[in-house]
Amino acid sequence: PSFSLLPACPTPLKVRKMIGFLARMLGRMLFSFIFIAAGIPTPLKVRKMIGFLARMLGRMLFSFIFIAAGMSHFKDIKGTGAKIHPSFPVEYVGGLDNAVLIACGLMVGGGVLVALRIAPRLGSLCLIGFLVPTTYFVHVLGMQEAKDEGKKMEEMIAVMKNTALIGAALCIFGYECGGSSQGAKKKAE
């Protein structure tokens, strides 16, 4: 009997061929990525393919944070509302529960729009619209009020993380507007 990490189950020949094709393509991409990272010239087709896959994977990973967190917060609206600082102007949105629901909608909606590239600019604006007030009213004010050094450090890390996510959302917005340095170089020539 042969040893296999996968359970012995019959798979159609087409599925095995597709898996083999995908494995070969992944191997070629990783090999080409090493060449690109090292600055070794590679064919334009390979560079475009790697660029496309990197952008797609980056959008998916970036969006997953918001989709997963939005779903988690939606399951515990009261608990999430308890984390919001009392100075947040809830009267403009009809109460604390509505503020949490709006935040969840911005996270999940923006994440889906960016991930699926349906309307990535609108999605990135939704995510920025969630991140800016959340960073201030949950983490900055939470850091200022924290008595424990561990809690202050935790909130400071959350502020830095959210700031980086705002930067990434701005990059997605700018990229989707067509503003890239290589595009500008090609137009100038």
Side-chain angles (χ1 to χ4, degrees):
S2 64
F3 176 75
S4 175
L5 295 175
L6 299 174
C9 60
T11 55
L13 183 60
K14 286 184 179 180
V15 172
R16 285 186 286 172
K17 284 185 176 182
M18 183 178 68
I19 291 172
F21 171 75
L22 292 174
R24 286 190 302 278
M25 289 302 295
L26 182 63
R28 289 178 188 147
M29 286 184 326
L30 291 175
F31 187 73
S32 298
F33 183 73
I34 293 169
F35 276 79
I36 290 170
I40 300 170
T42 55
L44 181 62
K45 188 176 182 181
V46 172
R47 285 184 283 166
K48 284 185 176 183
M49 179 180 61
I50 290 174
F52 168 77
L53 291 172
R55 287 188 299 274
M56 182 183 69
L57 183 61
R59 275 194 313 270
M60 295 292 177
L61 292 173
F62 174 75
S63 299
F64 178 74
I65 295 168
F66 295 101
I67 296 169
M71 299 300 265
S72 174
H73 291 317
F74 185 73
K75 292 178 184 175
D76 185 21
I77 293 173
K78 296 289 184 198
T80 302
K83 296 176 186 175
I84 299 173
H85 195 269
S87 66
F88 183 78
V90 294
E91 62 274 4
Y92 293 119
V93 293
L96 193 57
D97 289 349
N98 285 347
V100 173
L101 289 174
I102 291 169
C104 291
L106 287 172
M107 281 193 287
V108 173
V112 168
L113 290 174
V114 169
L116 299 180
R117 205 171 178 207
I118 297 169
R121 290 171 56 200
L122 177 61
S124 64
L125 290 176
C126 288
L127 297 175
I128 291 168
F130 160 75
L131 284 166
V132 170
T134 300
T135 302
Y136 180 73
F137 286 105
V138 175
H139 301 298
V140 171
L141 295 178
M143 181 175 59
Q144 290 175 351
E145 289 186 352
K147 307 275 188 263
D148 179 27
E149 285 300 316
K151 181 68 174 166
K152 282 185 180 183
M153 182 61 71
E154 185 181 312
E155 294 296 343
M156 185 176 73
I157 290 169
V159 168
M160 291 189 297
K161 175 198 62 133
N162 283 6
T163 304
L165 289 172
I166 291 168
L170 287 170
C171 285
I172 289 171
F173 183 86
Y175 173 76
E176 293 298 333
C177 286
S180 71
S181 59
Q182 290 185 355
K185 286 179 188 175
K186 287 180 184 175
K187 288 179 183 176
E189 294 172 357

